[in-house]
Amino acid sequence: MTVNGTDVGWGAGPGWQLCDDNYVQLDGTVDNPVISGTNTRGTVMIEIDANMTLTLSNLCLNCMTKDECCIWATNDVTATIWLIGTNTLDAAEGPGEGICIENGCDLTIMARPGLSDDEAVLIAKGGRENAAIATGRNGWNGEIPRLTIDSGTIFAYGGSGSAGIGGSFSTNNRQCSTDITIRGGRVFASSSESTTSDSRGGAGIGACGANF
């Protein structure tokens, strides 16, 4: 995986650093970093830690750590993700979440300006009891997260008992209150059937399947 053409194995570059050998922290000091390449073994996560726009360009990330995610928006950020080509965020094996939007964060996903929906694709996969694009973490503490999809083609496949886009059933992320807006693009979201006796299948977009 590279950030602005530099392999993350180098450890740091303008606007980013590799922390604990498993996640890339983006600090917002470089405008619109471009993240691309492939990580198919181990776990390299992307942490959005400041207000920014970033670009995913034909990126393929696998998250193999339990209850972690491929991309994590944290620290009350307002961020925009531009899509170029086909981008895959696969946390099915972890199990974890393709994208986690922490409480208080505002994330917009869209095609890079000038590209059609077909030219800007995101495929997100959540593992067992985890949403593909999860909105909220740490219960109901703090302001609810906000997600806006402006354009592009989005495929979101949630794990058992969890939404494709929305709440995860996993113990530390039963966040079902959120603000999701779809203004354009094409969105395909689904949930797998629950594998636990005390839950239902999650929504395609919306709540997890917990019995409250």
Side-chain angles (χ1 to χ4, degrees):
M1 184 178 79
T2 65
V3 181
N4 289 334
T6 300
D7 193 285
V8 298
W10 286 99
W16 67 274
Q17 62 177 331
L18 180 65
C19 303
D20 299 328
D21 289 327
N22 74 338
Y23 72 97
V24 174
Q25 184 181 60
L26 303 177
D27 62 20
T29 59
V30 171
D31 185 46
N32 200 1
V34 178
I35 304 171
S36 58
T38 300
N39 176 62
T40 57
R41 298 187 64 183
T43 294
V44 177
M45 300 172 288
I46 300 167
E47 179 181 303
I48 305 172
D49 200 39
N51 296 344
M52 68 174 67
T53 295
L54 64 148
T55 297
L56 308 185
S57 178
N58 294 300
L59 175 68
C60 181
L61 281 186
N62 285 7
C63 178
M64 300 180 184
T65 303
K66 187 177 187 300
D67 292 333
E68 296 293 355
C69 46
C70 297
I71 295 180
W72 182 22
T74 186
N75 201 28
D76 294 335
V77 300
T78 297
T80 299
I81 293 176
W82 286 359
L83 302 173
I84 298 175
T86 298
N87 301 275
T88 301
L89 306 175
D90 188 349
E93 187 171 338
E97 298 153 347
I99 298 176
C100 177
I101 308 166
E102 199 172 69
N103 295 350
C105 294
D106 189 334
L107 181 67
T108 298
I109 301 174
M110 60 183 291
R112 190 192 70 180
L115 296 183
S116 68
D117 292 340
D118 288 336
E119 296 172 308
V121 178
L122 174 65
I123 303 168
K125 300 178 182 180
R128 180 175 55 86
E129 299 184 352
N130 285 272
I133 301 176
T135 50
R137 185 164 277 208
N138 301 322
W140 285 275
N141 299 321
E143 184 180 354
I144 66 172
R146 293 167 297 281
L147 169 67
T148 301
I149 296 175
D150 257 348
S151 54
T153 300
I154 313 297
F155 298 92
Y157 305 107
S160 58
S162 301
I165 301 173
S168 286
F169 182 74
S170 57
T171 303
N172 69 336
N173 190 14
R174 293 189 181 187
Q175 171 75 30
C176 295
S177 178
T178 189
D179 183 349
I180 300 171
T181 302
I182 299 176
R183 291 200 290 230
R186 296 181 297 174
V187 179
F188 306 87
S190 64
S191 168
S192 297
E193 292 184 2
S194 174
T195 59
T196 60
S197 60
D198 65 343
S199 65
R200 306 181 182 93
I205 300 175
C208 59
N211 285 324
F212 295 115

